[in-house]
């Protein structure tokens, strides 16, 4: 008897953002192959399972996709419930298709359990709807990232033409991306928000404009991050820019304040 492989979306990070269905399957899992961005609290939902890290984190060591596919097929021969736990939703920038096809080719049953993709969790943090009546009727999820050996991607036109756009795996090249989008005719005044570590304790939002993004080559982002573009962010970006300026002013004044006699 072959086991079944579940591709489960772990959500954006916070352990309570996994679905009830995903959590229930984790409780029964014999083995869990998990991504680098899966939080330890989420793994704790499978205390009985063998945990195997097959992490993928930009520019850090990652496990080869063919190795993951082979492991999933082999695990199905040993365990009744095999879980492939992916950050966010498995069907968005998660290489789910390769795993689904490898499992189908080996005759292994597979089921996908959706998760909260990071763009939706980050939108909740920003507190601004991706769509808005009369302002935004189209949303693009895109990435400029191309894997090794892949053809170049024409990601920019769809981002430049969407009312609202979210870029995954892009924060490391943000300035270059902004220049490409300006070249596509996107206004330099387009509001931009960067959300780092959505749903996690270190969550951070940065407000800017497309021109601001092009000029800032050192964003100091260390966690996973998304770039949001669009008119819907005008107010929020303005408030974030004002708050950051105020913080800078206070920081500049602090040493003088400390130096003042009491
Ligand atoms: C390989 S993609 C996986 C996306 C995932 N399948 C999803 O639905 O969110 C990894 C990228 O997702 C984004 N990401 C994942 N978790 C995030 C978080 N908690 N906050 C912000 N961005 C996140 C970042 O752009 C990161 O580089």
């Amino acid at each position: 008897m072959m086991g079944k492989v579940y591709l489960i979306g772990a959500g954006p990070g916070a352990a309570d953002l996994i679905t009830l269905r995903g959590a229930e399957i984790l409780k029964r899992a014999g083995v869990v192959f998990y991504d680098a961005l899966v939080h330890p609290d989420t793994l704790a939902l499978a205390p009985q399972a063998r945990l195997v890290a097959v992490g993928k984190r930009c520019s850090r060591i990652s496990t080869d996709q063919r190795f993951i596919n082979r492991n999933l097929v082999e695990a199905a021969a040993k365990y009744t419930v095999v879980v492939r736990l992916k950050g966010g939703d498995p069907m968005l920038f998660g290489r789910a298709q390769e795993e689904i096809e490898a499992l189908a080719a080996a005759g292994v049953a597979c089921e996908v359990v959706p998760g909260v993709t990071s763009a939706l969790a980050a939108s909740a943090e920003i507190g601004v709807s991706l769509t808005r009546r009369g302002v935004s009727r189209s949303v693009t999820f895109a990435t400029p990232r191309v894997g090794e050996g892949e053809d170049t991607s024409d990601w920019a036109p769809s981002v430049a033409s969407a009312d609202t756009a979210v870029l995954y795996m892009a924060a490391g090249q943000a300035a270059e991306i902004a220049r490409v989008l300006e070249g596509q005719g996107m206004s330099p005044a387009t509001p931009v928000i960067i959300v780092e570590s959505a749903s996690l304790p270190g969550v951070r939002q940065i407000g800017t404009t497309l021109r601001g993004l092009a000029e800032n080559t050192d964003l100091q982002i260390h966690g996973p991050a998304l770039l949001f573009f669009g008119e819907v962010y005008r107010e929020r970006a303005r408030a974030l820019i004002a708050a950051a300026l105020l913080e800078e002013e206070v920081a500049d004044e602090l040493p003088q304040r400390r130096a003042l006699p009491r």
Side-chain angles (χ1 to χ4, degrees):
M1 262 295 278
M2 284 295 248
K4 185 168 175 179
V5 176
Y6 295 85
L7 307 190
I8 299 181
D16 58 354
L17 281 178
I18 193 168
T19 63
L20 287 176
R21 187 183 299 178
E24 189 274 328
I25 296 166
L26 275 175
K27 259 191 248 162
R28 298 188 279 117
V31 60
V32 177
F33 296 92
Y34 65 96
D35 275 356
L37 289 177
V38 173
H39 197 277
D41 290 351
T42 308
L43 295 175
L45 297 171
Q48 77 301 333
R50 187 162 77 88
L51 301 176
V52 185
V54 288
K56 292 201 193 145
R57 198 63 227 281
C58 317
S59 65
R60 295 194 198 151
I61 298 165
S62 76
T63 309
D64 183 79
Q65 187 62 49
R66 282 162 305 182
F67 175 83
I68 299 174
N69 297 350
R70 201 169 53 241
N71 266 268
L72 291 176
V73 171
E74 285 172 6
K78 284 195 216 147
Y79 300 93
T80 318
V81 178
V82 177
V83 169
R84 174 73 178 98
L85 194 57
K86 290 170 173 287
D89 182 89
M91 305 303 237
L92 205 54
F93 305 125
R95 300 190 71 172
Q97 198 57 38
E98 283 128 290
E99 294 171 12
I100 291 168
E101 284 171 13
L103 292 166
V108 177
C110 164
E111 184 178 324
V112 179
V113 179
V116 177
T117 188
S118 46
L120 301 186
S123 288
E125 303 277 7
I126 300 170
V128 173
S129 173
L130 288 157
T131 57
R132 188 183 306 165
R133 280 172 67 129
V135 181
S136 170
R137 293 188 183 86
S138 64
V139 182
T140 292
F141 290 162
T143 183
R145 172 71 50 87
V146 267
E148 251 181 54
E150 284 175 25
D151 292 341
T152 52
S153 141
D154 202 11
W155 58 272
S158 67
V159 172
S161 62
D163 291 334
T164 305
V166 188
L167 279 184
Y168 287 68
M169 293 177 274
Q173 322 139 248
E176 192 189 323
I177 282 165
R179 288 193 286 268
V180 170
L181 291 172
E182 278 197 37
Q184 289 287 321
M186 211 161 158
S187 162
T190 305
V192 176
I193 295 190
I194 303 159
V195 181
E196 179 184 7
S197 300
S199 86
L200 294 166
V203 62
R204 199 160 65 103
Q205 295 177 39
I206 302 168
T208 184
T209 58
L210 195 61
R211 176 56 52 84
L213 199 63
E215 285 170 357
N216 191 341
T217 48
D218 187 19
L219 286 167
Q220 292 289 326
I221 288 174
H222 307 292
L226 293 158
L227 309 181
F228 291 77
F229 304 85
E231 208 43 51
V232 290
Y233 302 114
R234 187 159 293 281
E235 292 306 310
R236 182 70 186 135
R238 195 175 280 151
L240 285 166
I241 292 166
L245 284 174
L246 193 68
E247 213 169 275
E248 252 174 50
E249 267 171 34
V250 171
D252 285 348
E253 269 177 31
L254 266 182
Q256 294 163 24
R257 282 195 195 159
R258 275 200 208 105
L260 285 175
R262 284 172 186 255

